């Protein structure tokens, strides 16, 4: 192997600094008083307002109705992220199972139909989607935020490709062992898919966590606000008039919003890599 | 009971592609039957039809006393060993063995006992907690067999189970399969394209060609009296020499050369003459009149394969490596070991 030179390290350090820099600055700034930030811009030292700021952001009720805390928003985001990730995985696994293992007519056509919806982003169908959700009376509910976006062409595609790579003999062995379609799915395919599931979980959780447009549209009740919306809410004080926007709180909220997805990535990445390296084929 | 009866079994795929063209076969309880043939001869399809993994287009398959045509694989009380083992990768060896029993609602204590027994029989005891990926090829093969054994099925179905193993392991696993089957006395149907495997394992061989049975018989019957040129060419290695010949009276001629004069009665005219390579020897005296022009020689150690031509026809002989050779040698053909086949039909004519 090539010797690791000082340049390799320099490049990696540079990359890390570029990636981490803004986060660090945001964090440092969040520990200062909003007046200081307003007067002298971004801060590069650790300030003395760490505890009060984060305490306020997490526990103090804010927003228009003064009923929603940062913790509630984090919780909402978590529900959204988990709902997205789990829902999408479950739905796309089932869809892919049907497409790959059940020989119904036009299975391939159905698959490509699903796949082609990848070309249609949410924004294209946002009005009809809104209408449907509204008619179901699901505005201002978790279901309304999650369910309309839960079908995933990407997920279906990934699982389809994976199932196709599972040797047919495994299905046949299971059939001889007395496993019906349901048992085969639960006992064999699902455990075999854990790697795929964790990979998709990472992607889908972050995707759900970062949703902005759809939750904004779906919810008017502040109890359902996600953290991504919360950040914006704080800065909106501008509009209010003579107050100084709580930059420190916005920064703190941004930092808090970043933490869970990072945790998910770190946690599942280990699994993911373990699954990749341990499988024998 | 493990008697398997096939009657006029056919398989036709969409597009009128007939891969099994009416097979009748009666397999006795405890018999080891090997289905052998080149790829695409329908042997795997036939096995999978017995297993229930393929539907039967027409005909009936009976296992024991039951007609199983419409039964699910799980209800046929058979066990199958696959070429790639098809072990469940995420389950330990123990779970792999127990999975089928569990699905059949076997009581826990019974499962435990059966798995332990199978593990002991196959020397898998130290590996019960391991995952398949931590096992060698031979061990995986044993687990696959163990999964078949624990079921106590009416019949074992083997689908080329040894073709993923290296040559040495294949020989030893072959022995193990044979011993195990003898000991358990369970009917076995074994599919292979390897004629050596077929010869060594089978009680009876079923040679398939193009979806039809060419011959059924014990390995020696099939070897010594192949029913057709196809079987003659397929069973035995090196393959039997098949030469176009002309019979008139007692004389058998290849081209202008009289190779023997011992034609049995009732055979005359154009035939295909079959001679096993080991039935060809160097002539004691140089006056046999049959000369072989040597093209190349293969050394096998104990044997030497001499490939050459007689009257422009390919001929191979297997002789002792100690015998001296020149470019052209005089050969003698054991006259009592000749096989005659119809030159058009390919069917056996003598005996």
């Amino acid at each position: 192997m090539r010797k690791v030179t000082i340049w390799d390290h320099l490049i990696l350090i540079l990359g890390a600094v570029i990636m981490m820099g803004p986060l660090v600055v945001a964090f440092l700034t969040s520990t200062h008083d909003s007046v200081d930030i307003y007067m002298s811009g971004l801060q590069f030292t650790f300030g003395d307002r760490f505890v009060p700021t984060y305490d306020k952001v997490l526990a103090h009720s804010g927003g228009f109705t003064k009923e929603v805390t940062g913790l509630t928003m984090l919780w909402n985001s978590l529900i959204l992220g988990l709902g997205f990730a789990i829902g999408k995985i479950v739905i796309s696994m089932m869809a892919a199972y049907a497409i790959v293992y059940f020989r119904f007519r036009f299975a391939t056509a159905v698959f490509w139909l699903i796949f082609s919806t990848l070309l249609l982003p949410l924004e294209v169908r946002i009005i009809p989607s809104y209408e449907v959700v509204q008619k179901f009376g699901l505005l201002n509910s978790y279901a309304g935020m999650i369910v309309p976006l839960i079908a995933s062409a990407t997920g279906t595609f990934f699982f389809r490709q994976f199932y196709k790579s599972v040797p047919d003999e495994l299905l046949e062995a299971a059939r001889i062992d007395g496993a019906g379609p349901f048992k085969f799915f639960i006992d064999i395919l699902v455990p075999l898919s854990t790697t795929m599931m964790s990979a998709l979980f990472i992607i889908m959780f972050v995707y759900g966590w970062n949703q902005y447009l759809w939750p904004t549209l779906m919810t008017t009740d502040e109890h359902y606000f996600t953290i991504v919306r919360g950040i914006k809410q704080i800065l909106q004080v501008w509009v209010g008039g003579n107050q100084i926007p709580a930059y420190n709180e916005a920064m703190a909220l941004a930092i808090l919003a970043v933490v869970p997805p990072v945790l998910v990535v770190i946690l599942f990445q280990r699994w993911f890599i373990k699954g990749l390296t341990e499988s024998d084929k | 009971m493990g008697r398997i009866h096939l009657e006029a079994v056919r398989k036709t795929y969409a597009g009128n592609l007939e891969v099994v063209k009416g097979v009748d076969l009666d397999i006795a309880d405890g018999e080891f039957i090997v289905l052998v043939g080149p790829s695409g001869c329908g042997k795997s399809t036939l096995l999978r039809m017995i297993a229930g993994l393929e539907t039967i287009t027409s005909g009936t398959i009976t296992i024991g006393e039951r007609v199983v045509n419409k039964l699910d694989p799980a209800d046929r009380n058979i066990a199958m060993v696959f070429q790639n083992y098809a072990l469940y990768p995420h389950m330990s060896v123990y779970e792999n063995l127990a999975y089928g029993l569990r699905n059949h609602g076997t009581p826990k204590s019974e499962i435990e006992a059966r798995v332990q027994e199978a593990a002991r029989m196959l020397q898998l005891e130290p590996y019960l907690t391991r995952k398949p990926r931590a096992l060698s090829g031979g061990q995986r093969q044993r687990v696959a067999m163990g999964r078949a054994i624990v079921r106590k099925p009416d019949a074992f179905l083997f689908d080329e189970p040894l073709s993923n193993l290296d040559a040495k392991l294949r020989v030893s696993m072959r022995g193990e399969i044979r011993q195990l089957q003898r000991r358990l006395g369970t009917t076995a149907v074994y599919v292979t394209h390897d004629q050596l495997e077929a010869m060594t394992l089978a009680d009876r061989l079923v040679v398939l060609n193009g979806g039809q049975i060419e011959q059924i018989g014990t390995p020696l019957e099939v070897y010594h009296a192949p029913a057709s040129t196809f079987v003659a060419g397929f069973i035995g290695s090196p393959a039997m020499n098949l030469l176009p010949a002309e019979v008139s009276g007692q004389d058998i001629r290849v081209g202008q050369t009289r190779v023997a004069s011992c034609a049995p009665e009732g055979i005359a005219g154009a035939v295909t003459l079959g001679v096993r390579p080991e039935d060809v020897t160097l002539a004691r005296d140089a006056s046999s009149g049959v000369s072989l022009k040597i093209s190349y020689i293969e050394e096998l150690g104990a044997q030497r394969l001499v490939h050459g031509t007689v009257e422009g026809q390919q001929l191979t002989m297997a002789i002792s490596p100690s015998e001296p050779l020149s470019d052209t040698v005089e050969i003698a053909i054991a006259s009592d070991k000749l096989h005659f086949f119809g030159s058009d039909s390919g069917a056996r004519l003598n005996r």
Side-chain angles (χ1 to χ4, degrees), chain A residues 170 172 176-177 183 187 278, chain B residues 48 88 90 99 103 133:
Chain A
L170 222 50
E172 290 169 353
I176 289 176
D177 270 345
K183 253 188 165 315
D187 287 352
E278 275 190 5
Chain B
R48 292 163 58 80
Y88 311 121
H90 58 292
Y99 185 66
N103 287 343
R133 65 169 163 265

Side-chain angles (χ1 to χ4, degrees), chain A residues 167 169-179 183-184 187-189 191-192 278-281, chain B residues 48 52-53 73-74 78 80 82 84 86-91 99-100 103-104 133 140 147 151:
Chain A
E169 281 86 350
L170 222 50
L171 170 68
E172 290 169 353
R175 277 181 70 189
I176 289 176
D177 270 345
K183 253 188 165 315
F184 175 67
D187 287 352
I188 314 285
L189 274 187
L192 285 180
E278 275 190 5
S279 69
D280 57 343
K281 272 182 209 170
Chain B
R48 292 163 58 80
L53 298 170
I78 43 95
M80 189 150 167
F82 295 89
N84 63 4
L87 302 178
Y88 311 121
H90 58 292
M91 295 186 191
Y99 185 66
N103 287 343
H104 280 84
R133 65 169 163 265
R140 287 182 204 188
R147 196 166 59 178
R151 299 274 307 277

Side-chain angles (χ1 to χ4, degrees), chain B residues 140-334:
Chain B
R140 287 182 204 188
Q141 182 60 62
R142 283 216 194 87
V143 177
M145 304 227 313
R147 196 166 59 178
I149 292 172
V150 290
R151 299 274 307 277
K152 300 203 168 155
D154 285 340
F156 294 134
L157 307 178
F158 296 95
D159 192 0
E160 311 209 12
L162 302 183
S163 31
N164 278 7
L165 301 176
D166 62 59
K168 201 176 158 196
L169 202 53
R170 204 177 303 169
V171 173
S172 70
M173 284 306 293
R174 202 165 71 196
E176 277 185 43
I177 290 182
R178 189 70 182 108
Q179 280 178 13
L180 203 66
Q181 191 269 347
R182 281 261 167 79
R183 185 140 51 109
L184 298 169
T186 310
T187 312
V189 184
Y190 187 107
V191 160
T192 180
H193 60 264
D194 180 343
Q195 55 90 21
L196 187 66
E197 234 170 79
M199 292 284 290
T200 49
L201 282 170
D203 288 327
R204 278 195 301 157
L205 279 179
V206 177
V207 185
L208 286 160
N209 183 30
Q212 271 167 326
I213 293 182
E214 287 272 339
Q215 188 171 11
I216 305 176
T218 66
L220 288 183
E221 273 169 26
V222 174
Y223 187 81
H224 288 301
S228 64
T229 47
F230 173 81
V231 179
F234 193 77
I235 299 292
S237 175
M240 183 187 279
N241 297 298
L242 294 167
L243 311 162
E246 191 73 29
V247 178
S248 55
Q250 292 264 293
D251 289 351
I252 308 155
R253 289 176 188 280
V254 173
Q256 298 306 309
T257 311
R258 197 184 69 182
V259 294
S261 45
C262 57
E265 275 181 40
I267 296 174
V271 297
T272 301
L273 178 68
V275 189
R276 292 263 175 222
E278 63 268 27
D279 296 333
V280 184
T281 52
L282 292 175
R284 291 274 155 261
D285 45 10
S287 61
S288 75
V290 187
S291 58
L292 177 79
K293 210 163 144 249
I294 296 175
S295 354
Y296 65 100
I297 293 168
E298 287 178 305
E299 296 289 0
L300 300 183
Q303 256 187 347
R304 170 182 281 167
L305 299 184
V306 181
H307 301 271
T309 52
V310 172
E311 289 274 343
Q313 297 296 330
Q314 293 287 336
L315 187 107
T316 301
M317 64 177 181
I319 56 171
S320 155
S322 57
E323 306 205 50
L325 292 171
S326 50
D327 286 353
T328 307
V329 290
E330 295 286 305
I331 56 167
I333 293 172

